[in-house]
Amino acid sequence: MSTGALTRPVSPTRDVLDNGVVVLTHESTATPSVAVNATFYCGSANDPPDLPGVAYLTRRTIDRGTSLRSAADVAETLDDRGVSLRVSASRHTLTISCVCLSEDFGEILSLIADIARRPVFPAEEIEKRRIEAVTSLREDQDDPSKVARDLLLGILYGAAHPYGRTVKGTVESLGSITRRDLVEFHARYMVPSALRVAIVGHVAAGAAVTSAARSFDEWRQPVSPDEPIAPPVLHDLRTVRTAVMPGKSQADICYGFTTIRRVDPRYYAYWMMNNVLGQFGLGGRLADNIRERQGMAYYAYSSFDATVGEGPLIIRAGVDPANVTRTIGAIDDEVRALGADGPTRREFEDTRDSLIGALPRMLETNESIAEFIQYTEQFGLGLDFDRRLPSCLGAVSMDDVREAAREVLDPLRAAVAVAGPRE
Amino acid sequence: MLANGLTVLVQEIHTAPLVSVWCWYRVGSGDEPPGLTGVSHWVEHMNFKGTEQISRDQMKGIVEKLGGMWNGYTWIDQTTYLETASSAAVDTLLFLEAQRMSSSLFEPEECESERTVVISELQGAENDPDQVLDLEVTATALRVHPYGHPTIGWLHDLQSMTRADLYGHYQRHYMPANATLVIVGDVDTDDVLRRVDKYFGSIPAAEVRRYQRPAEPPQIGERRVVLERGGTTAYLELAFPAPAVSESGFVPLLALDAVLSGAKGVSLWSAFRGTPPQRKARLYTALVEDGLAASVSGVLLPTRDPFIYSLSFTAADGVPLEVLEDAALSAIERVAAQGVTEAEAARARRQLRARLVFENDSVTSIAHQLGYFDTVAGPGYLEQLECRIAMVTAEQMGQAARQALGASTRTVGWSTPARRGR
């Protein structure tokens, strides 16, 4: 068994400012650069149910001007330093992040703080970004892999659940979001107590915290409301839905189940179960069957996304339209077999060793360390999680993995979505 | 270099207990004769399907159970295989690559099974109108040079190629003298070179028999591709002939691209991650800020022979392509006529300098750059690149614009939802 020994463990410092902003820092001199990752605990799950897309349009507009700088000034500050700012929104997070040269760190952190605290959402910027958002959504509607995924999430969670709606909203909802909706979303959810700032790279931890305190300390806002995620309604029956997309060459299959929350103690067993099913060796048992033995697909794999709520396990394959039925049959076979018998001893050991051994690789770049620290913070995993992870995985038994598979993997309860040309 | 001709590049980096091993072959889709398009990429797939001493099933897990990642890719000048894993695994990685170089099996039934996998990969790309447009524009811009055909190959060739074609291609190109082995990470150079010799030293030397690549004749007039294939979104692509990496015009055009569409750096590997836009870039300001395009991107990559510089635009919802094209071309014609300002040149140099730092953020990325540049430009080029970028002038960038962005050498591609018509 691999020990996953880290000669350079991640030892972040964690400081809480008076207003609740948490600053996480880790110093690394590997490259003369710094990764900054400012994550707010809000996202599309906080969209008004009748107005999906507010978090997404906020993410597209937030860096287009603050009360201190115009949109052009923001762009100038970034471009002059070769910095590309990423703003991303998921169901539960809205993140502003970038990598900059160490020499530019102070200026860039100050800019990110300004964007986070004082966006003005200029009306003309909202209109331009709205058109971009609609264009991006229409591109998704022309992409069978995205159509199949959205269809599947709709089956699994239903439109009433935040996971059943798309992050980007709809053409109609994007058209009716107003500036006031964005301002209110920011004021309500993007507040100091919901912000975690990770700073990783060639800057001394003390100096990084001092800079963060200077940028964020005076900011005062009420604590954001707690909006718990309801568990999804479990399905007893298999559901199959199809979206016909004329003119496409390949059909995309999405096949899945709802699972557990990230904080569930069964998480590690589920993770290993998914790795056996659709990850290990570039696609696990699924790829071995569908790609290697039957030559039907370039990709066949599964992903497991336990998060704040009960996230999905999704199996995906892109195949010739003539092979859709055969591929779904092959997925049924693999799901049924793993659900009934669990992994073999060798699969269990290979998976465990691979997940433990992968840790140093996951913590190689400043950006990836910042993301890892944010992840451990979000789910309360502790500052020493990189050192504890091997024992978390090592404590899982083969029976635990078998039980995880038995709980989830049942073809009779599967949700199946297919998007592509007619078979 | 080993006695059998294998080039070996080692760089010690001890910040993490990791090693990245890449084995590069100087063969890509630019080395394929008519009728065998896609053979290099298919051969890459076959090189994961078992060797004399590693069965197909072992091959998938041999690196992963050690916590490592593995992959490979094929492009126009190169085929490469990589593993990044704990440095304690270096023997396994070298053994794997030596096996791949000398004794892949190409079992007939595996070749057949992989045929449909590769065709599935092709069909998956056909689902994306943006990729289809790029393929058509590239094939229109390059009519003679084999860079013009897609790396994945034309469907008919994939349907008709035989096991003998695949194995023949492997035997012709997979040999020490046609390869560069790159090892970067937590290793001792002398020690790892001894290990390289142990695994690769006994592979016999062989002469490289490269196909002659036909040169692309000069383009004498604008070319145009219009696709009407349904869908929801309109795309525009503009392609211009671009110099090879070794030509003096490459770095000025790279800096000009930073002015036009934002700096991306020079790493195909990092480019897979995507770069958010730089908003002071001229085309972004002219098209996205003005609401005509939802996105703009430019691609200029280092290649052994002259290839293309392409600019791609996603039309904002409801904007006709003729309006978008007019605006894009007038921005391009302006830079060709007036050049760039000293301030823009200085910003482009700063951006590219930062990109070179950002794209060398891991042993995997650093090893990629060493091998990639050795394959397309030969030894020494990468070390000089930062200096060449620091010295590029506004005058040279203006000259690059005049030389590269002419109306008579451009290829214009439209992909438009049929419902809108023209």
Side-chain angles (χ1 to χ4, degrees), chain A residues 8 18 127 171 199 265 272 288 290 422:
Chain A
R8 191 181 57 147
D18 289 344
E127 292 318 308
V171 172
I199 299 166
M272 289 173 68
D288 190 58
I290 295 164
R422 200 175 288 281

mmCIF file of all heavy atoms in Angstrom, chain A residues 8 18 127 171 199 265 272 288 290 422:
data_model
loop_
_atom_site.group_PDB
_atom_site.id
_atom_site.type_symbol
_atom_site.label_atom_id
_atom_site.label_comp_id
_atom_site.label_asym_id
_atom_site.label_seq_id
_atom_site.Cartn_x
_atom_site.Cartn_y
_atom_site.Cartn_z
ATOM 1 N N ARG A 8 6.338 17.739 1.412
ATOM 2 C CA ARG A 8 5.997 19.157 1.536
ATOM 3 C C ARG A 8 4.526 19.253 1.902
ATOM 4 O O ARG A 8 3.694 19.603 1.075
ATOM 5 C CB ARG A 8 6.284 19.858 0.217
ATOM 6 C CG ARG A 8 6.230 21.369 0.311
ATOM 7 C CD ARG A 8 6.493 21.997 -1.037
ATOM 8 N NE ARG A 8 5.574 21.543 -2.038
ATOM 9 C CZ ARG A 8 5.121 22.277 -3.059
ATOM 10 N NH1 ARG A 8 5.524 23.506 -3.191
ATOM 11 N NH2 ARG A 8 4.286 21.796 -3.943
ATOM 12 N N ASP A 18 -12.127 40.241 12.050
ATOM 13 C CA ASP A 18 -13.224 40.622 12.952
ATOM 14 C C ASP A 18 -14.592 40.514 12.287
ATOM 15 O O ASP A 18 -15.605 40.265 12.934
ATOM 16 C CB ASP A 18 -13.033 42.066 13.451
ATOM 17 C CG ASP A 18 -11.868 42.152 14.423
ATOM 18 O OD1 ASP A 18 -11.449 41.092 14.920
ATOM 19 O OD2 ASP A 18 -11.371 43.270 14.657
ATOM 20 N N GLU A 127 -26.483 44.563 -19.624
ATOM 21 C CA GLU A 127 -27.097 44.228 -20.914
ATOM 22 C C GLU A 127 -26.130 43.443 -21.797
ATOM 23 O O GLU A 127 -26.514 42.464 -22.435
ATOM 24 C CB GLU A 127 -27.576 45.500 -21.627
ATOM 25 C CG GLU A 127 -28.747 46.166 -20.929
ATOM 26 C CD GLU A 127 -29.788 45.156 -20.428
ATOM 27 O OE1 GLU A 127 -30.240 44.309 -21.222
ATOM 28 O OE2 GLU A 127 -30.135 45.188 -19.232
ATOM 29 N N VAL A 171 -33.348 30.991 -20.979
ATOM 30 C CA VAL A 171 -33.347 32.193 -21.816
ATOM 31 C C VAL A 171 -34.353 33.200 -21.253
ATOM 32 O O VAL A 171 -34.078 34.403 -21.176
ATOM 33 C CB VAL A 171 -33.684 31.819 -23.282
ATOM 34 C CG1 VAL A 171 -33.869 33.078 -24.115
ATOM 35 C CG2 VAL A 171 -32.584 30.949 -23.871
ATOM 36 N N ILE A 199 -4.662 32.181 -0.051
ATOM 37 C CA ILE A 199 -3.508 32.831 -0.695
ATOM 38 C C ILE A 199 -2.343 31.846 -0.644
ATOM 39 O O ILE A 199 -1.896 31.468 0.441
ATOM 40 C CB ILE A 199 -3.143 34.138 0.039
ATOM 41 C CG1 ILE A 199 -4.322 35.116 -0.016
ATOM 42 C CG2 ILE A 199 -1.891 34.766 -0.568
ATOM 43 C CD1 ILE A 199 -4.209 36.279 0.953
ATOM 44 N N PRO A 265 -20.429 10.242 6.713
ATOM 45 C CA PRO A 265 -19.254 9.388 6.998
ATOM 46 C C PRO A 265 -19.010 8.305 5.946
ATOM 47 O O PRO A 265 -17.900 7.767 5.858
ATOM 48 C CB PRO A 265 -19.572 8.768 8.362
ATOM 49 C CG PRO A 265 -20.948 9.176 8.714
ATOM 50 C CD PRO A 265 -21.403 10.260 7.800
ATOM 51 N N MET A 272 -14.549 5.481 -3.304
ATOM 52 C CA MET A 272 -13.836 4.302 -3.820
ATOM 53 C C MET A 272 -14.740 3.491 -4.746
ATOM 54 O O MET A 272 -14.290 2.984 -5.779
ATOM 55 C CB MET A 272 -13.320 3.448 -2.649
ATOM 56 C CG MET A 272 -12.168 4.136 -1.920
ATOM 57 S SD MET A 272 -11.628 3.292 -0.415
ATOM 58 C CE MET A 272 -10.928 1.814 -1.084
ATOM 59 N N ASP A 288 -13.865 -0.263 -19.440
ATOM 60 C CA ASP A 288 -13.353 -1.582 -19.826
ATOM 61 C C ASP A 288 -14.384 -2.325 -20.677
ATOM 62 O O ASP A 288 -14.044 -2.947 -21.681
ATOM 63 C CB ASP A 288 -13.004 -2.388 -18.569
ATOM 64 C CG ASP A 288 -12.257 -3.660 -18.936
ATOM 65 O OD1 ASP A 288 -11.202 -3.536 -19.573
ATOM 66 O OD2 ASP A 288 -12.760 -4.762 -18.631
ATOM 67 N N ILE A 290 -17.377 -0.863 -22.215
ATOM 68 C CA ILE A 290 -17.952 -0.129 -23.360
ATOM 69 C C ILE A 290 -16.894 0.277 -24.369
ATOM 70 O O ILE A 290 -17.100 0.203 -25.573
ATOM 71 C CB ILE A 290 -18.722 1.111 -22.836
ATOM 72 C CG1 ILE A 290 -19.910 0.646 -21.994
ATOM 73 C CG2 ILE A 290 -19.182 2.003 -23.971
ATOM 74 C CD1 ILE A 290 -20.515 1.727 -21.130
ATOM 75 N N ARG A 422 -31.974 10.825 -33.801
ATOM 76 C CA ARG A 422 -32.852 9.663 -33.583
ATOM 77 C C ARG A 422 -32.119 8.393 -33.966
ATOM 78 O O ARG A 422 -31.391 8.359 -34.945
ATOM 79 C CB ARG A 422 -34.111 9.810 -34.435
ATOM 80 C CG ARG A 422 -35.276 8.966 -33.977
ATOM 81 C CD ARG A 422 -36.490 9.277 -34.814
ATOM 82 N NE ARG A 422 -37.057 10.589 -34.517
ATOM 83 C CZ ARG A 422 -37.829 10.837 -33.470
ATOM 84 N NH1 ARG A 422 -38.115 9.884 -32.602
ATOM 85 N NH2 ARG A 422 -38.321 12.040 -33.259
#
